[in-house]
């Protein structure tokens, strides 16, 4: 089932249940997916769908960080709830151990051994873990390996 189909089904369910939080978040995700389709001019591939959902999740996490820094308790709870809803549409995330394993294997494959190889290693690792691991986690794993 495509992401757009899943979003439409969840939209109907949220409407029937009168769940305003789910309804708002699913509508925004659906709009983002449809805007991406229009921009690219074709139906999205699964990788492109994951990229759209990842962007939405990243935006909400950044907002959560800003709200926490500003002490906005009223917005923190809502943003956490939005993150939970968006996370439902993400593929299962890799653990830190799995990310470290992928980083080590890729480092051996590309011959990365020093801090100067950081960009080369990140460029090789990110396509392998795209949508399955947080970029900050990958960045830290690469830094730890090359340190």
């Amino acid at each position: 089932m495509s992401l757009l189909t899943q979003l439409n089904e969840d939209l109907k369910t949220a409407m029937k249940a009168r769940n305003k939080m789910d309804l708002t978040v699913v509508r925004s995700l659906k709009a983002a997916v449809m805007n991406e389709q229009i921009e690219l001019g074709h139906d999205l591939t699964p990788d492109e769908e994951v990229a759209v959902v990842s962007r939405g999740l990243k935006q909400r996490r950044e907002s959560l960080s800003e709200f926490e820094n500003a002490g906005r308790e009223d917005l923190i709870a809502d943003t956490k709830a939005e993150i939970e809803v968006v996370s439902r549409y993400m593929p299962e995330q890799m653990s830190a151990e799995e990310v470290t394993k992928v980083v080590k294997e890729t480092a051996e494959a590309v011959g990365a051994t020093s801090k100067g190889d950081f960009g080369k290693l990140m460029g090789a690792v990110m396509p392998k873990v795209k949508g399955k691991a947080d970029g900050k986690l990958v960045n830290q794993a690469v830094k730890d390996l090359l340190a």
Side-chain angles (χ1 to χ4, degrees):
M1 178 184 305
S2 77
L3 178 62
L4 202 52
T5 306
Q6 181 66 44
L7 288 170
N8 281 326
E9 292 299 317
D10 292 349
L11 191 65
K12 291 176 192 173
T13 304
M15 283 181 183
K16 289 177 183 175
R18 299 186 191 277
N19 185 338
K20 289 184 180 181
M21 177 60 68
D22 282 9
L23 189 60
T24 303
V25 174
V26 172
R27 276 185 177 149
S28 73
L29 281 176
K30 182 179 175 193
V33 169
M34 293 181 75
N35 286 340
E36 189 77 6
Q37 277 184 336
I38 291 167
E39 189 174 310
L40 296 176
H42 62 80
D43 288 344
L44 300 182
T45 65
D47 286 342
E48 291 169 336
E49 289 175 345
V50 168
V52 171
V53 176
S54 294
R55 255 190 314 243
L57 189 59
K58 183 178 179 185
Q59 288 171 345
R60 285 169 176 84
R61 285 185 176 149
E62 289 171 354
S63 296
L64 178 63
S65 174
E66 292 298 318
F67 295 151
E68 287 172 341
N69 291 341
R72 294 291 310 266
E73 297 300 323
D74 55 326
L75 298 174
I76 291 173
D78 286 346
T79 307
K80 284 182 178 177
E82 287 182 18
I83 289 171
E84 284 182 31
V85 174
V86 174
S87 295
R88 289 186 223 153
Y89 301 100
M90 289 293 293
E92 189 173 327
Q93 297 295 292
M94 297 172 76
S95 68
E97 294 81 28
E98 292 171 321
V99 171
T100 303
K101 181 181 176 191
V102 170
V103 168
K104 285 180 181 175
E105 290 171 357
T106 308
E108 290 174 15
V110 299
T113 56
S114 68
K115 288 185 179 183
D117 297 326
F118 180 84
K120 178 169 72 171
L121 183 54
M122 279 297 288
V125 170
M126 285 310 289
K128 294 181 180 181
V129 298
K130 189 170 186 154
K132 299 178 205 159
D134 184 38
K136 290 180 184 177
L137 182 64
V138 176
N139 187 316
Q140 190 59 48
V142 170
K143 283 181 182 176
D144 292 345
L145 181 71
L146 297 178

